[in-house]
Amino acid sequence: MGTIIKDYSYTPAKIKHGYSGKSLYINLSDLRIEQKEITEFMKEKFTGGKGFDLWYLWHAVTPETRWDSPENEIVMSVGPLGGITQYAGTGKTLLCSISPLTDIPIDSNVGGYFGPLLKFSGWDAFELQGKSDREILIFIDGNNGRIQIEEAGEYPEDSHLLAEALTKKFAEDEDDMVNVSVVCSGSGAKHSYMGMLNFSFYDPRRKVCRFKQAARGGLGTIMHDKKVKALVVKYRGVKPNLNDPADIATINKVGVKYHKEMHDLDQKQNKMRQIGTANTVMIMSQYDLLPTRNFQTGGDPETVKISPQVFINEWLTQGLHDGCWYGCTMACAKCADHFLITTGPYAGQRVTVDGPEYECAAGLGANLGVFDPQAILEENFYCDTYGIDLISFATCTAFIMECHQRGQITKEQMGGLDLRFGNSHAVLELLHQMSRGEGFGRIAGLGVRNLKRVFVEKFGADPKLLQDIGMEVKGLEYAEYAHKESLAQQGGFAMATKGPQHDEAWLIFMDMVNKQIPTFEDKANALYYFPMFRTWFGLVGLCKLPWNDIVPTDNHKTDSPAKVPEHVQNYVDLFNAVTGKNIDKEELIVQSERVYQFQRVFSVRMGKGERKDDYAPYRSMGPVTREEYLSRQELYDKQLREFQKLDPETMDLDEKIAATRRYREDQYEQLLDAVYRRRGWTENGIPTPERLKAIGMDLPELLEVIEPKL
Amino acid sequence: MIKVNTEDYPWHAGMTVRALLDEKLFTFRHIIVRVNGEFVPEEDYVSTMIQDGDDVMVLHLMAGG
């Protein structure tokens, strides 16, 4: 038991139609705890979730604030629908902060119990500002209205141990453990810019703490810098009406309809209940979309070794508790039980590994040339318990491996680590070094953008090559989809507000396979609608997966099957039923756009968010190297003939690569122009006052930022 | 010649929807097939013949993780 250094009592606010109306503010520098009002203005303009986070963050920071400035905040909010138990995927928390990787606002969404339990404890949002002078944990007792800050130096650092220790500490008995949720990171977050936050949920059948991750952008790094070892919330008494919905009958009706779909159709569609998001690994490889060896190619014959069926048959336990919030019948949070660890500090121990999700199998597997399920699971475990974002880690390590492959960095310069594609032992040792803050692991943890500079300055690497193959935009590493043949997705990644994460838009099939969006205007419309629509999940506390990872049987009869109109209507109905408001599907998009445009202006305020910041590395857009061109020579030659009226027979390989590049880079410029017009931005990517006014966001503080840029 | 998702594709006698999907390596399970605008249920893929000049749409329903 650490010494309690702050004890604060409060009266938990009663939730009314999805909102408690209160937010919690804790300043770690002076241990100040305050309550703030959630105003009608905030609900109207920002809805909740990421909207509230960004609004608070805006007021906390200045353009000079960096990730480790005391005034930087970690803000989290679950949104007005968060915590309902009648529909699938209703426990998502959104977090925002100024990222160590990008210097702009990052947003990251996460399941687990913390966010809903926080709201039921009386708090719509939670701001953490300042820095503690010693390691602490914060405990929120939602039933008794108490917040305690306690010294935490004695607790273990890595997540699987820390969450277990704290869950036992704060639960009264075994039955009470499901009422406790822990947010924590791990030793790797302390020594890298890609630290993430684990959000726990206790699994009473396995008797372990499970985790979902707020992975992107270094949130764990920031929490370590603030010397916060863990956040703990405890709330007993979750039930379906805690949000005080205006119309619970509609929620029940929509929920029952959806659960029936899940029961009847999942096995015929994506098998989310059996394998989760990793169901797409083979599909991605077959469609040339699985990033392989640093996105050089889109698949590999060896992918079959890490296919969903391999994980289902040999590693994942079926039929247990796999929802990360109550009522989620999609239950896609799969895990491998009694997994034997073979390296590092936990070698010889058997653990539960949450995963692998698609990004894990693709990133830590194919993108590193590791086609070994056991190695992937061990990498997965260590990324999670060390508190490292496995997407950034995988993309960063893939970049290092290709630099090594191409002679840009030697084994000696990597401290003796033989980081060549396929060497999972070296990957695991890199993780252990990152955890210990030693050797090349400490350098690798800086992320791709910083590594490009280090490799050029220290090792004399070729800056042009590194720019082409270093898969980052705005400083954030790419998520795990190869997408050279989808111009729309090139934009979907590179124009994404926070950096190249796929939660804004995933348009590859619509664009590359279905050919549904052939013109620039079509692509621009898709790059308007989908980012706006998907932003909404993060405003209200919902998971994206139930939207389109299962669809109604008559979805094909609708005029826009890709939007899954029946499910969109479900969301409209749920929002109205909880809040008592009366929005329609058009107003839903406006709610999102208000926050989307706000975040873009926020990035402008922090020095990014302009056209120059929306360019992709060429590896995202086309073949950088001769090997890449030759791997799909037939396709590229055909495109030279059809798109540019060139005769590849008269060109040498370098000329063909150069002509392909000129064409594709020109296409991307035209895409930027079209999307900016559609989003109401200037040619330089700045939201216009007219657009902000049209959506009710012509706030003085936003106009002050954009006017000098017009 | 037929159209598949707006692009030309060679036709051959005896081509069924199932055969076309196999040839194109369209292995994703979550798809909608329309031939000349008419929806083809999955159970009819094997028996539905594609004629020279047909316009085939194979809509992959996935919008990402």
Side-chain angles (χ1 to χ4, degrees):
Chain A
M1 169 70 81
T3 305
I4 293 172
I5 55 176
K6 180 79 175 184
D7 200 340
Y8 176 87
S9 293
Y10 69 97
T11 303
K14 189 169 161 47
I15 295 173
K16 176 76 174 169
H17 295 355
Y19 296 97
S20 73
K22 299 281 185 187
S23 69
L24 173 63
Y25 171 87
I26 296 182
N27 190 303
L28 299 159
S29 300
D30 58 12
L31 299 183
R32 189 157 33 97
I33 299 180
E34 295 173 356
Q35 302 183 37
K36 294 182 181 177
E37 297 290 324
I38 300 290
T39 63
E40 288 303 314
F41 168 85
M42 288 173 67
K43 292 188 212 173
E44 171 67 25
K45 301 294 187 190
F46 297 95
T47 305
K50 182 166 88 168
F52 287 180
D53 294 346
L54 289 169
W55 178 243
Y56 281 129
L57 188 62
W58 175 286
H59 290 283
V61 303
T62 72
E64 287 71 43
T65 299
R66 291 297 171 259
W67 71 275
D68 55 352
S69 303
E71 70 270 21
N72 189 21
E73 290 191 342
I74 296 174
V75 199
M76 65 183 78
S77 171
V78 75
L81 305 194
I84 64 173
T85 59
Q86 298 94 329
Y87 201 81
T90 55
K92 283 280 189 172
T93 308
L94 260 290
L95 295 96
C96 290
S97 192
I98 302 298
S99 163
L101 289 167
T102 66
D103 289 329
I104 57 175
I106 188 75
D107 60 271
S108 198
N109 73 75
V110 59
Y113 290 1
F114 191 90
L117 297 187
L118 178 73
K119 182 160 80 168
F120 298 147
S121 297
W123 307 111
D124 283 336
F126 180 13
E127 294 171 88
L128 267 176
Q129 194 178 39
K131 290 191 185 190
S132 174
D133 58 4
R134 69 202 97 166
E135 283 198 308
I136 54 116
L137 70 84
I138 298 171
F139 172 56
I140 301 168
D141 180 346
N143 295 103
N144 296 306
R146 197 161 189 190
I147 298 168
Q148 290 180 327
I149 301 177
E150 174 182 328
E151 290 182 346
E154 71 194 67
Y155 292 106
E157 201 145 40
D158 291 334
S159 273
H160 75 294
L161 300 177
L162 179 57
E164 183 184 358
L166 295 180
T167 300
K168 284 180 177 167
K169 169 185 166 73
F170 288 106
E172 290 175 12
D173 52 36
E174 178 130 357
D175 291 343
D176 198 30
M177 290 170 85
V178 295
N179 302 315
V180 176
S181 179
V182 178
V183 177
C184 56
S185 193
S187 50
K190 188 184 280 187
H191 307 299
S192 75
Y193 284 173
M194 51 186 75
M196 58 76 169
L197 292 175
N198 282 302
F199 277 51
S200 81
F201 58 107
Y202 186 73
D203 184 333
R205 293 183 69 178
R206 292 182 171 91
K207 301 189 186 305
V208 294
C209 286
R210 308 274 306 277
F211 294 113
K212 301 302 284 185
Q213 291 78 34
R216 306 304 331 257
L219 289 161
T221 304
I222 300 164
M223 198 156 101
H224 259 299
D225 183 63
K226 292 183 177 301
K227 289 194 168 59
V228 177
K229 202 160 195 174
L231 309 172
V232 185
V233 67
K234 180 178 169 186
Y235 180 85
R236 187 173 49 251
V238 173
K239 52 187 178 178
N241 64 353
L242 285 186
N243 268 308
D244 181 43
D247 174 10
I248 198 166
T250 293
I251 299 174
N252 291 340
K253 185 177 158 193
V254 173
V256 167
K257 183 181 68 163
Y258 185 85
H259 294 319
K260 184 169 188 319
E261 269 174 34
M262 184 63 64
H263 174 270
D264 294 346
L265 303 177
D266 181 57
Q267 187 61 22
K268 298 174 192 166
Q269 295 184 9
N270 285 346
K271 299 185 178 177
M272 294 293 282
R273 291 157 63 90
Q274 210 177 359
I275 178 67
T277 58
N279 75 81
T280 56
V281 170
M282 283 306 293
I283 296 293
M284 290 299 121
S285 186
Q286 287 157 353
Y287 283 78
D288 203 36
L289 303 173
L290 186 71
T292 305
R293 299 179 181 86
N294 195 32
F295 297 82
Q296 292 184 69
T297 60
D300 191 285
E302 285 197 276
T303 308
V304 69
K305 296 178 183 171
I306 58 169
S307 74
Q309 214 53 49
V310 170
F311 284 105
I312 290 170
N313 291 344
E314 298 177 24
W315 299 101
L316 301 183
T317 313
Q318 299 290 318
L320 289 179
H321 173 83
D322 287 325
C324 69
W325 176 242
Y326 297 101
C328 186
T329 42
M330 183 166 268
C332 67
K334 316 316 293 185
C335 61
D337 291 301
H338 314 296
F339 181 81
L340 181 63
I341 297 296
T342 62
T343 70
Y346 307 111
Q349 297 183 18
R350 289 193 180 273
V351 298
T352 292
V353 185
D354 267 280
E357 296 194 42
Y358 166 75
E359 300 286 340
C360 172
L364 298 175
N367 216 9
L368 303 184
V370 173
F371 297 97
D372 174 351
Q374 189 169 354
I376 291 170
L377 283 167
E378 184 150 338
E379 292 164 359
N380 188 162
F381 168 77
Y382 273 117
C383 279
D384 286 355
T385 202
Y386 286 161
I388 293 169
D389 169 17
L390 66 81
I391 296 177
S392 277
F393 176 79
T395 299
C396 191
T397 305
F399 168 70
I400 293 166
M401 286 174 157
E402 188 176 353
C403 286
H404 182 37
Q405 174 197 349
R406 298 193 182 284
Q408 300 296 308
I409 174 171
T410 66
K411 184 177 169 183
E412 290 66 37
Q413 287 165 333
M414 294 187 291
L417 274 183
D418 187 15
L419 281 164
R420 56 188 158 75
F421 287 115
N423 187 354
S424 59
H425 298 290
V427 174
L428 284 161
E429 181 52 30
L430 184 68
L431 274 169
H432 300 321
Q433 287 188 1
M434 212 177 268
S435 158
R436 298 191 300 264
E438 293 175 357
F440 189 67
R442 184 144 198 142
I443 296 171
L446 296 173
V448 170
R449 178 165 285 198
N450 288 311
L451 284 187
K452 286 190 288 190
R453 177 177 48 77
V454 170
F455 290 177
V456 170
E457 290 177 2
K458 286 199 170 179
F459 306 142
D462 174 359
K464 184 173 181 308
L465 175 67
L466 267 53
Q467 179 57 34
D468 281 349
I469 67 173
M471 292 298 283
E472 59 85 16
V473 175
K474 301 180 177 74
L476 188 69
E477 287 75 20
Y478 269 76
E480 308 299 335
Y481 293 97
H483 53 281
K484 289 188 183 101
E485 302 312 314
S486 170
L487 177 60
Q489 190 59 33
Q490 292 165 25
F493 273 134
M495 288 183 232
T497 318
K498 64 171 170 255
Q501 175 72 354
H502 55 288
D503 59 352
E504 277 200 12
W506 198 95
L507 304 174
I508 302 177
F509 275 173
M510 283 184 79
D511 188 33
M512 185 183 95
V513 184
N514 300 344
K515 312 287 184 188
Q516 290 172 284
I517 45 176
T519 68
F520 289 112
E521 285 66 33
D522 293 332
K523 294 181 204 307
N525 278 329
L527 282 167
Y528 173 78
Y529 177 81
F530 286 100
M532 298 309 159
F533 176 68
R534 294 173 68 139
T535 292
W536 193 78
F537 293 116
L539 305 186
V540 298
L542 297 183
C543 173
K544 167 264 158 193
L545 297 175
W547 163 49
N548 68 351
D549 275 84
I550 187 164
V551 301
T553 50
D554 58 356
N555 187 55
H556 65 277
K557 294 178 181 171
T558 64
D559 57 0
S560 48
K563 294 179 181 176
V564 198
E566 183 175 319
H567 287 180
V568 174
Q569 189 59 46
N570 286 354
Y571 295 128
V572 169
D573 292 343
L574 288 173
F575 185 83
N576 290 336
V578 170
T579 64
K581 295 185 178 175
N582 185 29
I583 68 163
D584 56 21
K585 63 182 181 182
E586 284 77 27
E587 175 64 14
L588 181 154
I589 297 297
V590 174
Q591 287 181 323
S592 283
E593 186 174 349
R594 290 189 185 113
V595 176
Y596 192 90
Q597 300 280 17
F598 182 82
Q599 189 168 356
R600 180 74 175 187
V601 177
F602 201 159
S603 292
V604 174
R605 181 183 180 222
M606 300 305 291
K608 292 186 180 173
E610 300 182 26
R611 191 176 183 112
K612 65 179 171 50
D613 304 305
D614 288 341
Y615 285 101
Y618 187 63
R619 171 61 57 72
S620 152
M621 303 165 74
V624 173
T625 64
R626 293 176 164 199
E627 303 96 286
E628 282 170 272
Y629 192 98
L630 291 172
S631 74
R632 304 204 71 189
Q633 179 162 229
E634 190 180 346
L635 172 76
Y636 295 135
D637 282 357
K638 181 170 175 267
Q639 291 179 349
L640 287 174
R641 280 190 291 271
E642 292 184 0
F643 299 159
Q644 301 193 65
K645 310 302 177 200
L646 296 173
D647 180 4
E649 302 304 322
T650 65
M651 303 167 75
D652 68 25
L653 184 54
D654 290 336
E655 288 170 337
K656 292 196 286 189
I657 292 171
T660 298
R661 182 169 189 152
R662 277 194 302 275
Y663 176 79
R664 291 185 176 217
E665 288 180 339
D666 177 67
Q667 292 280 296
Y668 187 74
E669 294 287 353
Q670 294 186 59
L671 180 74
L672 282 179
D673 289 337
V675 174
Y676 286 2
R677 278 195 300 274
R678 181 64 185 87
R679 291 180 179 176
W681 295 354
T682 68
E683 286 181 1
N684 193 31
I686 307 295
T688 62
E690 295 76 22
R691 187 68 202 166
L692 295 180
K693 187 173 184 184
I695 57 170
M697 288 299 282
D698 50 337
L699 308 175
E701 51 268 69
L702 302 195
L703 298 176
E704 186 182 328
V705 170
I706 61 171
E707 277 169 355
K709 302 281 186 182
L710 299 175
Chain B
M1 194 68 75
I2 59 173
K3 291 277 187 194
V4 179
N5 290 350
T6 76
E7 292 187 340
D8 288 340
Y9 189 78
W11 174 83
H12 57 79
M15 179 185 267
T16 63
V17 168
R18 179 74 269 159
L20 174 65
L21 297 178
D22 291 344
E23 283 177 32
K24 291 287 289 179
L25 301 177
F26 284 166
T27 54
F28 189 49
R29 298 180 69 185
H30 204 172
I31 58 173
I32 293 170
V33 178
R34 290 197 180 105
V35 177
N36 301 323
E38 289 292 315
F39 172 67
V40 181
E42 186 175 353
E43 57 268 28
D44 295 344
Y45 288 173
V46 174
S47 58
T48 301
M49 303 301 294
I50 295 173
Q51 308 299 326
D52 193 11
D54 277 352
D55 184 358
V56 183
M57 170 66 87
V58 183
L59 205 57
H60 291 61
L61 285 184
M62 180 174 171

